[in-house]
Amino acid sequence: MQVTPNCSLSWRAAVIFYLWVCTASLGIALVFVWLGYWPVLPFAGLEMMVLGVALWLSLHRGSYREVISIFPDRIEVARGRTRQRECTVFPLHWARVNLRPTRLASYPSRLVISSHGRSCEIGRCLTESERIGLGRRLDELIGTTAHTPDRWQEVAKPGNAHR
């Protein structure tokens, strides 16, 4: 399963959007400069710089990935942006999936895989309903301590992504 944030804007589309907005904004600012209102130009440049930084941050955050792999003996949770940066492994028969509510109602719950005193939060980028669905699906696939579900092979098949 692969968990990714909902980011439908591609880098190419973002660059096209940014260039179009810059052309329009700076074009209008240049007309005002030609009319003698020169203070418009620095503010227009500052707006475009802030827009560019916001677009970059949004797209950078959208490249985050969590890959949850379930094998007959273990669960692997790999995280990273363009390449895997962190990998946590849990023994399958001892792993537990818990959806932990927070004390504040406005904060999202936390979906955690834990085993032997170690834990790993997953699905931070998901909505509350998606996180609940992912927790249920992982519960089905992992099963209880004394039972290994027959359906764990489904996860190993290519194309079984959460999103």
Side-chain angles (χ1 to χ4, degrees):
M1 286 181 221
Q2 183 171 335
V3 178
T4 61
N6 188 10
C7 182
S8 60
L9 187 64
S10 69
W11 282 94
R12 184 171 186 262
V15 168
I16 291 171
F17 168 75
Y18 184 68
L19 290 177
W20 187 86
V21 170
C22 281
T23 302
S25 177
L26 295 177
I28 293 170
L30 289 176
V31 168
F32 280 101
V33 168
W34 184 67
L35 294 173
Y37 302 107
W38 63 267
V40 171
L41 191 58
F43 286 104
L46 182 64
E47 285 177 348
M48 293 303 102
M49 187 176 74
V50 170
L51 176 64
V53 169
L55 278 172
W56 184 85
L57 287 174
S58 174
L59 291 170
H60 183 68
R61 187 169 182 231
S63 64
Y64 177 76
R65 303 280 182 267
E66 290 177 353
V67 178
I68 304 167
S69 305
I70 302 177
F71 298 99
D73 61 335
R74 67 189 186 284
I75 301 171
E76 289 182 4
V77 179
R79 301 172 183 206
R81 295 202 186 279
T82 54
R83 61 187 169 103
Q84 177 185 331
R85 299 257 182 205
E86 175 186 336
C87 184
T88 308
V89 180
F90 297 99
L92 179 68
H93 295 290
W94 296 101
R96 292 285 132 248
V97 177
N98 296 316
L99 187 65
R100 297 179 180 168
T102 58
R103 294 182 184 170
L104 299 174
S106 60
Y107 276 60
S109 63
R110 297 178 61 215
L111 184 60
V112 177
I113 297 177
S114 58
S115 173
H116 294 91
R118 295 181 309 128
S119 64
C120 175
E121 184 177 357
I122 56 174
R124 283 185 226 160
C125 58
L126 299 177
T127 63
E128 191 67 27
S129 62
E130 291 172 334
R131 194 174 303 113
I132 291 170
L134 178 62
R136 286 183 185 151
R137 180 71 177 143
L138 286 173
D139 265 341
E140 289 174 11
L141 294 171
I142 293 173
T144 62
T145 305
H147 177 254
T148 300
D150 297 331
R151 298 177 9 183
W152 68 265
Q153 292 92 350
E154 292 177 20
V155 178
K157 291 179 185 175
N160 279 346
H162 179 65
R163 288 192 156 200

